[in-house]
Amino acid sequence: MATVQDLLRPSIKALKAYSSARDEFQEETSNMVFLDANENPFENGINRYPDPHQNAVKDILAEIKAVSKSQILLGNGSDEVLDLLVRAFCEPNQDNIIILPPTYGMYEVLANLNAVAIKKVMLSESFQPEVDQILNVADANSKILFLCSPNNPSGNSFKNHEVETLLKKFEGIVVIDEAYIDFSEQDSWLERLEEFPNLVITQTLSKAYGMAGLRLGICYASETIISVLNTIKPPYNINVLTQNKAVELLKQTDIVNDEIDSILIERSKLISDLKSILYIKKIYPSDTNFVLVKVDDATARYNQLIKEGVVIRNRTTQPLCENCLRLTVGTPSENKTLITALTKLQ
């Protein structure tokens, strides 16, 4: 199998990272006068540049996830992390990525933005990877395989043995997007990070941790890959307010766990209540904080729900999702409102 260095773009290998003022001097003492970064000297809590390495946030994440800080990269949302991966490994107008529709739409957007070709291998009817087809379409320029598990919009997790086969046989980087892993019965692939040098795992604080407004995405990978991504990331990509709030909220694990438990209970209740809605033809299994359902006419039902004051997601344009609606699991009150509105439309 190719090494990480083999897969990198030549220009990235040769790139020298920008050295910020906070990279060159990091020691802080109470009597130190900082005149190195051209900052406004009048203290207001945000007049200084943030820690470019987000050490306080990484300290907590490393403890929670049982990994080394050197295996963590933080991004302005997971989208920045995904973009950095494409830019690091995919040569524009030469390389390609492989995606498995229906899946998270930003993989395709980021590839297009970076002039990287896209190879699509549809998931099976049960929303599982077609391993043989994926390996058959891969070529020497296939640098990244994106696996969204649990998958958006289908809501299911991919089978472990199929993912493991891809990790062992795909010759490029395998990115497992685990945005919804906290709602899944399956273990995170983070537990096996050391086994696969080509494995990258992305997670987020937007879902289970309730920090969507902060825009903080996480990448876990080998020290080699993280070092490369640190070389090309903007120096101050995570602002000080986001870092401080993330530290505060990451310490509240009891609250987070209680909220996850509540969402899982409500997901079960929601699925049970959805079974009584006559025009719902199928309810797909969910390992996430949403439920995908097939209805008689997704666009009509979507518009009807809007009139009832309920906003869901119409996924009927996505492959394998004809006449499908995606329903986020809300609070008990919100879910009751949803079921009332759905029942009214029968």
Side-chain angles (χ1 to χ4, degrees), residues 181-198:
I181 193 63
D182 297 285
F183 307 107
S184 174
E185 293 183 357
Q186 286 196 11
D187 293 331
S188 168
W189 280 90
L190 195 55
E191 297 183 2
R192 302 183 64 183
L193 183 62
E194 300 294 342
E195 293 183 43
F196 306 102
N198 63 330

Side-chain angles (χ1 to χ4, degrees), residues 119-155:
K119 293 191 174 187
K120 299 180 181 181
V121 180
M122 297 280 286
L123 293 175
S124 69
E125 290 292 332
S126 58
F127 296 119
Q128 290 294 328
E130 299 280 13
V131 175
D132 290 340
Q133 291 184 35
I134 293 167
L135 296 175
N136 285 338
V137 303
D139 59 29
N141 296 117
S142 299
K143 294 299 180 65
I144 302 177
L145 167 63
F146 285 103
L147 305 177
C148 187
S149 181
N151 189 46
N152 178 13
S154 59

Side-chain angles (χ1 to χ4, degrees), residues 66-293:
V67 298
S68 167
K69 283 174 60 177
S70 61
Q71 295 175 300
I72 304 174
L73 177 97
L74 300 182
N76 182 10
S78 295
D79 294 338
E80 182 181 43
V81 171
L82 298 170
D83 183 47
L84 289 172
L85 288 164
V86 173
R87 286 195 278 150
F89 292 101
C90 299
E91 191 68 38
N93 302 308
Q94 175 178 309
D95 291 330
N96 65 77
I97 66 167
I98 299 177
I99 63 173
L100 315 181
T103 191
Y104 181 46
M106 279 303 294
Y107 309 143
E108 185 169 356
V109 171
L110 293 172
N112 287 330
L113 282 172
N114 288 285
V116 173
I118 303 162
K119 293 191 174 187
K120 299 180 181 181
V121 180
M122 297 280 286
L123 293 175
S124 69
E125 290 292 332
S126 58
F127 296 119
Q128 290 294 328
E130 299 280 13
V131 175
D132 290 340
Q133 291 184 35
I134 293 167
L135 296 175
N136 285 338
V137 303
D139 59 29
N141 296 117
S142 299
K143 294 299 180 65
I144 302 177
L145 167 63
F146 285 103
L147 305 177
C148 187
S149 181
N151 189 46
N152 178 13
S154 59
N156 65 298
S157 295
F158 295 158
K159 295 177 181 178
N160 284 338
H161 70 274
E162 294 183 344
V163 174
E164 184 168 349
T165 298
L166 291 168
L167 281 166
K168 291 178 177 178
K169 294 188 176 182
F170 181 69
E171 292 289 337
I173 300 296
V174 177
V175 178
I176 304 180
D177 185 343
E178 292 188 339
Y180 300 95
I181 193 63
D182 297 285
F183 307 107
S184 174
E185 293 183 357
Q186 286 196 11
D187 293 331
S188 168
W189 280 90
L190 195 55
E191 297 183 2
R192 302 183 64 183
L193 183 62
E194 300 294 342
E195 293 183 43
F196 306 102
N198 63 330
L199 172 59
V200 174
I201 296 162
T202 61
Q203 295 183 359
T204 180
L205 298 184
S206 295
K207 309 300 181 183
Y209 284 86
M211 304 185 206
L214 288 186
R215 308 308 305 129
L216 191 58
I218 312 163
C219 175
Y220 300 100
S222 67
E223 292 185 21
T224 300
I225 292 176
I226 295 300
S227 177
V228 170
L229 299 180
N230 274 322
T231 299
I232 65 175
K233 82 170 183 66
Y236 302 116
N237 61 324
I238 310 297
N239 69 72
V240 67
L241 297 177
T242 292
Q243 292 189 45
N244 291 343
K245 192 64 176 179
V247 168
E248 175 190 335
L249 294 175
L250 282 169
K251 292 178 179 179
Q252 301 175 8
T253 53
D254 290 344
I255 294 176
V256 172
N257 290 332
D258 286 345
E259 290 179 351
I260 292 173
D261 289 342
S262 175
I263 290 171
L264 294 178
I265 291 170
E266 285 302 308
R267 185 182 72 190
S268 180
K269 289 180 180 178
L270 180 61
I271 290 173
S272 178
D273 290 339
L274 289 171
K275 293 177 182 177
S276 65
I277 308 300
L278 297 179
Y279 55 84
I280 292 181
K281 307 301 181 182
K282 184 172 183 177
I283 303 170
Y284 292 90
S286 177
D287 249 356
T288 65
N289 67 333
F290 62 83
V291 180
L292 188 73
V293 299

Side-chain angles (χ1 to χ4, degrees), residues 15-24 230-236:
L15 184 66
K16 180 177 175 58
Y18 171 76
S19 181
S20 70
R22 290 297 166 264
D23 284 310
E24 295 177 5
N230 274 322
T231 299
I232 65 175
K233 82 170 183 66
Y236 302 116

